[in-house]
């Protein structure tokens, strides 16, 4: 992190420019891109700037082929020019609106005081280089719709999002099966690790050498218990996801790498589990509960925690040593639950948030006990609850205008149902915390990821996700 973006611009070293010179691009065909998204740039550099001004985020990159003016969603203009290898000239011009840009003698400038305050307005910058060596061998993901990259596309299931308006701000601007407008938190994690976006297990192309960068088994509608999600039709339960890893993926990788190298591969890779929400909102509190008949909420929590513990031990027995485990988000703040319990906008369902907090406390305690029992098992708890509550309670701080109303959907707060195929969503998902009745926007996912990856307690326990990644074992 650096305190001022201008200092970065002044101090970019020639060596950094040389590394991206072969690409000569930022985006040849700039698409209708929201002001804040992350992109895979082949051999190019990208910089994300976090601003406390009304314009919250800017994405720009090096363009070494031509000087281009990039229009981002018609609201912002950024110009960055850089010389070929061996040169020294870099310059930048930023205007709030395209119409504020003027040209004179081949140079761009802003009119009417429209220059973005890049010296004091931007508080931090994150530099990433695509094409560098990955930080870990691979990333393996197990979970529900918060991480499903399209596995349910291959199933007969009601829990699908393989249609517009989902995916409008995704890299390809197409629906992939992700329940959001762009990337999910695990997508941002993969990018940070220097890996490609992790492919869905059920995709026919997920085989061979592609397995060596990881596999995503997550399935929308699934839960910790096998009974969860049965009303959606076909889903991949968490236990089935683990079975796919054990009986299909792991043997294939051993064939590719050999036993010894394979064991080292799995020991050093990152595994991530994100599940549990459906066991409550689409299980215990569902119209027709799918949880064991007559079970109390306290006993259900104990059952879920013991089941997660058993699932983690399966991974341990398979040679896995570095695992992130996500807690629950504030379930009572989802548009679906606010609508279900007929609360007014601005209010969360407090008893559901209390359930989330109690479950999270029990999960943290279980992970602590498991770390003590298996000393070489490196388990990190990811706190999804606090980042979302921070954004809900302080929306202006994070650039959100809508805390409970989803960007698309049906009914009050768009909280009755998922986004209807080809329906028109909101025009400003970057200002919404939720994209549909359950799931955050891509921007909110990125904020959650950054909180839990770059920070220790209380966002990541006992240490940050970044520390887990860099841990030598």
């Amino acid at each position: 992190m650096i305190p001022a973006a201008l200092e970065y611009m002044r101090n970019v070293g020639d060596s950094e420019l040389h590394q991206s010179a072969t690409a000569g691009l930022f985006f040849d065909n700039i698409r209708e891109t929201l002001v804040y998204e992350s992109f895979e740039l082949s051999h190019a550099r990208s910089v994300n700037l976090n601003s406390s001004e009304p314009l919250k985020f800017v994405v720009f990159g090096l363009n070494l082929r031509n000087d281009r003016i990039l229009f981002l969603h018609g609201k912002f203009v950024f110009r960055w020019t850089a010389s070929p290898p061996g040169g020294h000239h870099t310059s930048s011009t930023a205007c709030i609106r395209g119409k504020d840009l003027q040209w004179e003698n081949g140079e761009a400038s802003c009119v009417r005081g429209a220059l973005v305050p890049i010296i004091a307005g931007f508080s931090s910058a994150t530099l990433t280089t695509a094409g560098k060596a990955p930080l870990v061998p691979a990333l393996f993901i197990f979970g529900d719709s918060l991480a499903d990259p399209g596995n349910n596309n291959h199933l007969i299931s009601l829990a699908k999002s393989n249609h517009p308006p989902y995916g409008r701000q995704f890299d390809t601007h197409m629906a992939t099966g992700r329940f959001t407008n762009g990337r999910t938190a695990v997508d941002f994690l993969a990018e940070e690790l220097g890996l490609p976006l992790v492919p869905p297990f059920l995709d026919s192309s997920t085989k061979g050498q592609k397995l060596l960068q990881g596999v995503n088994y997550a399935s929308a509608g699934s839960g910790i218990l096998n009974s969860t999600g049965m009303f959606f039709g076909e889903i991949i339960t968490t236990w089935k996801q683990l079975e796919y890893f054990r009986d299909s993926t792991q043997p294939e990788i051993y064939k590719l790498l050999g036993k010894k190298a394979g064991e080292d591969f799995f020991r050093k890779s990152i595994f991530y589990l994100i599940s549990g929400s459906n066991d409550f909102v689409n299980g215990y509190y569902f119209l027709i509960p799918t949880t064991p008949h007559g079970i109390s909420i306290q006993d259900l929590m104990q059952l879920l925690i013991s089941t997660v513990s058993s699932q983690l031990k399966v991974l341990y027995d398979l040679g896995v040593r570095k695992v992130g485990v996500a807690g629950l988000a504030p379930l009572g703040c989802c548009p679906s639950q606010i609508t279900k319990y007929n609360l007014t906008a601005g209010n969360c369902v407090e008893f559901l948030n209390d359930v989330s907090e109690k479950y999270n406390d029990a999960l943290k305690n279980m992970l602590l006990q498991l770390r003590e029992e298996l000393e070489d098992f490196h388990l990190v708890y990811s706190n999804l609850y606090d980042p979302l509550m921070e954004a809900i309670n302080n929306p202006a701080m994070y650039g959100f205008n809508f805390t409970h109303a989803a960007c698309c959907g049906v009914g009050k707060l768009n909280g009755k149902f998922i986004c209807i195929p080809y329906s028109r969503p909101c025009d400003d998902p970057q200002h919404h915390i939720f994209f549909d009745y359950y799931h955050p926007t891509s921007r909110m996912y990125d904020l959650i990821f950054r909180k839990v990856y770059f920070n220790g307690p209380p966002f990541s326990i006992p240490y940050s996700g970044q520390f887990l990644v860099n841990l030598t074992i």
Side-chain angles (χ1 to χ4, degrees), residues 261-337:
E263 289 175 348
D264 188 63
F265 172 88
F266 291 117
R267 185 170 60 251
K268 293 179 178 178
S269 292
I270 294 293
F271 288 71
Y272 200 79
L273 279 71
I274 178 167
S275 190
S277 299
N278 287 318
D279 295 284
F280 292 101
V281 296
N282 289 316
Y284 188 81
Y285 294 111
F286 197 61
L287 181 63
I288 304 175
T290 63
T291 49
H293 179 70
I295 192 172
S296 68
I297 189 65
Q298 293 81 11
D299 288 342
L300 173 63
M301 286 188 192
Q302 185 176 350
L303 174 61
L304 293 173
I305 294 300
S306 65
T307 303
V308 174
S309 178
S310 297
Q311 292 166 350
L312 290 171
K313 289 178 179 177
V314 167
L315 288 175
Y316 180 84
D317 290 340
L318 293 172
V320 173
R321 292 299 180 266
K322 300 170 90 171
V323 184
V325 184
L328 296 181
L331 297 176
C333 294
C334 294
S336 61
Q337 302 309 298

Side-chain angles (χ1 to χ4, degrees), residues 27-335:
F27 255 25
D28 279 7
N29 299 306
I30 191 71
R31 298 173 290 230
E32 182 179 306
T33 301
L34 295 182
V35 170
Y36 180 62
E37 290 289 343
S38 294
F39 304 98
E40 284 192 332
L41 303 176
S42 179
H43 305 297
R45 288 182 174 271
S46 65
V47 179
N48 299 340
L49 296 176
N50 180 346
S51 170
S52 59
E53 297 299 318
L55 178 63
K56 292 295 173 183
F57 293 90
V58 180
V59 177
F60 66 96
L62 293 177
N63 169 19
L64 298 173
R65 178 180 301 162
N66 298 301
D67 297 346
R68 287 196 180 94
I69 298 301
L70 305 179
F71 291 80
L72 300 187
H73 207 54
K75 296 180 180 179
F76 184 78
V77 180
F78 198 92
R79 175 175 179 259
W80 179 293
T81 65
S83 65
H88 298 282
H89 173 67
T90 60
S91 65
S92 59
T93 300
C95 306
I96 296 175
R97 298 174 295 273
K99 65 183 180 181
D100 294 323
L101 183 73
Q102 65 179 7
W103 285 90
E104 185 174 350
N105 298 324
E107 293 295 323
S109 62
C110 300
V111 299
R112 295 190 296 278
L115 184 65
V116 174
I118 59 177
I119 298 178
F122 294 109
S123 58
S124 65
T126 301
L127 184 66
T128 63
T129 307
K132 67 183 179 182
L135 300 177
V136 295
L139 173 62
F140 295 90
I141 301 158
F142 307 85
D144 54 26
S145 58
L146 295 177
D148 188 346
N151 279 308
N152 280 23
N153 297 351
H154 306 275
L155 301 175
I156 302 174
S157 175
L158 295 175
K160 288 187 180 182
S161 60
N162 57 341
H163 57 262
Y166 291 103
R168 289 187 78 199
Q169 285 77 42
F170 187 67
D171 303 45
T172 60
H173 288 246
M174 296 175 63
T176 61
R178 291 167 172 83
F179 283 78
T180 187
N181 59 307
R183 292 185 174 191
T184 63
V186 293
D187 292 329
F188 290 114
L189 172 59
E191 180 185 42
E192 184 64 33
L193 297 178
L195 295 167
L197 302 191
V198 185
F201 172 78
L202 291 183
D203 191 289
S204 60
S205 68
T206 306
K207 58 186 177 182
Q209 294 290 324
K210 198 171 184 179
L211 301 176
L212 298 181
Q213 293 174 319
V215 179
N216 189 331
Y217 306 86
S219 174
S222 67
I224 296 167
L225 303 180
N226 281 338
S227 59
T228 299
M230 64 174 61
F231 292 111
F232 290 117
E234 291 183 338
I235 58 170
I236 314 172
T237 67
T238 301
W239 281 113
K240 189 65 176 180
Q241 293 175 39
L242 293 169
E243 183 180 316
Y244 281 149
F245 170 72
R246 182 194 66 197
D247 297 342
S248 178
T249 305
Q250 192 170 50
E252 280 197 62
I253 290 177
Y254 278 138
K255 287 180 182 178
L256 291 168
L257 299 179
K259 186 67 172 178
K260 184 176 181 180
E263 289 175 348
D264 188 63
F265 172 88
F266 291 117
R267 185 170 60 251
K268 293 179 178 178
S269 292
I270 294 293
F271 288 71
Y272 200 79
L273 279 71
I274 178 167
S275 190
S277 299
N278 287 318
D279 295 284
F280 292 101
V281 296
N282 289 316
Y284 188 81
Y285 294 111
F286 197 61
L287 181 63
I288 304 175
T290 63
T291 49
H293 179 70
I295 192 172
S296 68
I297 189 65
Q298 293 81 11
D299 288 342
L300 173 63
M301 286 188 192
Q302 185 176 350
L303 174 61
L304 293 173
I305 294 300
S306 65
T307 303
V308 174
S309 178
S310 297
Q311 292 166 350
L312 290 171
K313 289 178 179 177
V314 167
L315 288 175
Y316 180 84
D317 290 340
L318 293 172
V320 173
R321 292 299 180 266
K322 300 170 90 171
V323 184
V325 184
L328 296 181
L331 297 176
C333 294
C334 294

Side-chain angles (χ1 to χ4, degrees), residues 391-469:
I392 289 169
N393 292 331
N394 304 284
M397 182 182 300
Y398 296 95
F400 293 114
N401 297 332
F402 304 93
T403 56
H404 296 103
C407 180
C408 72
V410 176
K412 175 184 174 183
L413 301 179
N414 285 326
K416 287 287 189 180
F417 198 60
I418 65 171
C419 304
I420 300 298
Y422 298 95
S423 61
R424 180 178 176 83
C426 66
D427 293 326
D428 56 348
Q430 75 273 21
H431 294 143
H432 286 253
I433 289 177
F434 291 96
F435 186 68
D436 69 7
Y437 71 153
Y438 274 121
H439 308 95
T441 57
S442 185
R443 186 176 164 212
M444 187 67 237
Y445 272 131
D446 193 21
L447 292 176
I448 293 171
F449 157 69
R450 293 180 182 280
K451 284 284 188 180
V452 302
Y453 184 80
F454 293 107
N455 297 279
F459 298 107
S460 190
I461 300 172
Y463 38 69
S464 70
Q466 186 177 40
F467 186 91
L468 176 67
V469 167

Side-chain angles (χ1 to χ4, degrees), residues 357-419:
E357 290 188 287
K358 288 180 178 178
Y359 173 83
N360 290 342
D361 287 342
L363 179 62
K364 285 182 281 188
N365 288 334
M366 181 273 287
L367 294 176
L368 174 61
Q369 294 172 9
L370 203 52
R371 281 193 295 269
E372 292 175 348
E373 178 184 341
L374 305 170
E375 294 183 357
D376 61 337
F377 202 16
H378 306 284
L379 299 166
V380 170
Y381 167 79
S382 294
N383 179 354
L384 308 189
Y385 189 98
D386 286 349
L388 264 164
M389 287 306 298
E390 281 187 6
I392 289 169
N393 292 331
N394 304 284
M397 182 182 300
Y398 296 95
F400 293 114
N401 297 332
F402 304 93
T403 56
H404 296 103
C407 180
C408 72
V410 176
K412 175 184 174 183
L413 301 179
N414 285 326
K416 287 287 189 180
F417 198 60
I418 65 171
C419 304

